[in-house]
């Protein structure tokens, strides 16, 4: 009797574990690289030290001023704003509690560093809070606004999940690799019915 009872208990636990695990499964997101890979460079600078004891909660995507910035995934614009530190920035909300931040967007008039450009030189035409975007869609332009002023132009890119920033580096590297593969996606020559690879 006891043995049968223990067997039933073991079976119940074995059956319950996968159910518990799936209930706590974490969502993931696949990103489209948010800038032209041919002109963008980045390293894993997540949590690098910054002034005032702050830590760097994103990765910097270095690129020339006015390089196009693309939506990293399908989503909705939930914020367009400006602050002393971030400069001009945009936040997209995606499915399942994911968000991406695009910070230090351009605020300079062409050929200047005046910080007085119209927002038409910051955001893609017609983009505003509530706009729906698809992955890879133009959303804005690289700049050096906010505390990036005087440094090299870049997009400070953040990836948030359920309200907390995560290191976006692995997601960005995967996106980078897919973008480069797509650039190089020339079908291999077919010889005698076989692909030569
Ligand atoms: Zn940054």
């Amino acid at each position: 009797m006891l043995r049968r009872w223990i067997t039933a208990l073991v079976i119940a636990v074995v059956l319950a574990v996968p159910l518990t695990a799936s209930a706590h499964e974490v969502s993931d997101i696949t990103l489209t690289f948010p800038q032209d890979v041919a002109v963008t460079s980045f390293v894993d600078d997540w949590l690098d030290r910054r002034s005032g004891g702050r830590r760097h909660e994103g990765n910097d995507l270095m690129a020339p001023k006015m390089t196009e910035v693309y939506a990293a995934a399908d989503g909705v614009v939930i914020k367009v704003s400006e602050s002393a530190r971030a400069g001009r920035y945009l936040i997209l909300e995606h499915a399942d509690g994911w968000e991406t931040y695009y910070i230090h967007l351009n605020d300079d008039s062409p050929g200047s560093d005046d910080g007085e450009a119209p927002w038409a030189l910051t955001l893609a035409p017609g983009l505003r809070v509530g706009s729906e975007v698809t992955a890879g869609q133009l959303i804005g332009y690289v700049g050096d606004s906010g505390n990036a002023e005087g440094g090299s132009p870049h997009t400070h890119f953040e990836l948030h999940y359920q309200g907390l920033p995560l290191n976006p580096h692995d997601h960005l590297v995967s996106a980078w690799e897919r973008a480069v593969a797509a650039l190089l996606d020339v079908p291999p020559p077919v010889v005698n019915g076989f692909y030569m690879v």
Side-chain angles (χ1 to χ4, degrees):
M1 180 64 195
L2 179 62
R3 183 178 296 174
R4 188 182 300 172
W5 206 89
I6 290 173
T7 304
L9 185 65
V10 168
I11 290 172
V13 168
V14 168
L15 288 176
V17 165
L19 291 174
T20 310
S22 65
H24 292 274
E25 201 167 279
V26 175
S27 152
D28 199 4
I29 187 170
T30 300
L31 300 185
T32 295
F33 198 77
Q35 290 175 190
D36 182 351
V37 293
V39 297
T40 301
S41 63
F42 69 107
V43 296
D44 185 1
D45 50 2
W46 167 256
L47 296 186
D48 280 4
R49 292 181 185 280
R50 289 294 192 266
S51 62
R54 289 179 301 113
R55 294 285 187 151
H56 192 239
E57 296 188 338
N59 282 180
D60 290 342
L61 307 178
M62 316 305 294
K65 196 179 280 187
M66 292 304 288
T67 295
E68 294 185 339
V69 179
Y70 309 122
D74 294 350
V76 178
V77 179
I78 59 166
K79 190 165 189 181
V80 171
S81 191
E82 186 168 20
S83 76
R85 186 189 296 166
R88 295 185 184 179
Y89 67 97
L90 172 87
I91 301 175
L92 297 181
E93 181 180 72
H94 311 288
D96 301 329
W98 292 93
E99 292 176 350
T100 50
Y101 289 43
Y102 309 80
I103 289 171
H104 306 315
L105 297 176
N106 181 62
D107 67 352
D108 294 323
S109 302
S112 85
D113 206 13
D114 61 1
E116 294 181 351
W119 277 76
L121 294 177
T122 304
L123 299 179
L127 204 71
R128 58 180 62 87
V129 171
S131 296
E132 292 189 9
V133 297
T134 56
Q137 181 178 327
L138 175 68
I139 54 172
Y141 306 99
V142 172
D144 64 358
S145 62
N147 65 5
E149 193 67 54
S152 300
H154 65 275
T155 301
H156 170 97
F157 180 84
E158 292 190 11
L159 178 64
H160 291 225
Y161 179 60
Q162 296 187 345
L164 292 174
L166 304 175
N167 185 351
H169 195 255
D170 287 350
H171 286 83
L172 287 170
V173 168
S174 297
W176 169 280
E177 289 172 349
R178 281 189 294 276
V180 169
L183 278 178
L184 302 177
D185 189 18
V186 179
V190 178
V191 179
N192 297 332
F194 291 96
Y195 284 110
M196 304 300 289
V197 293

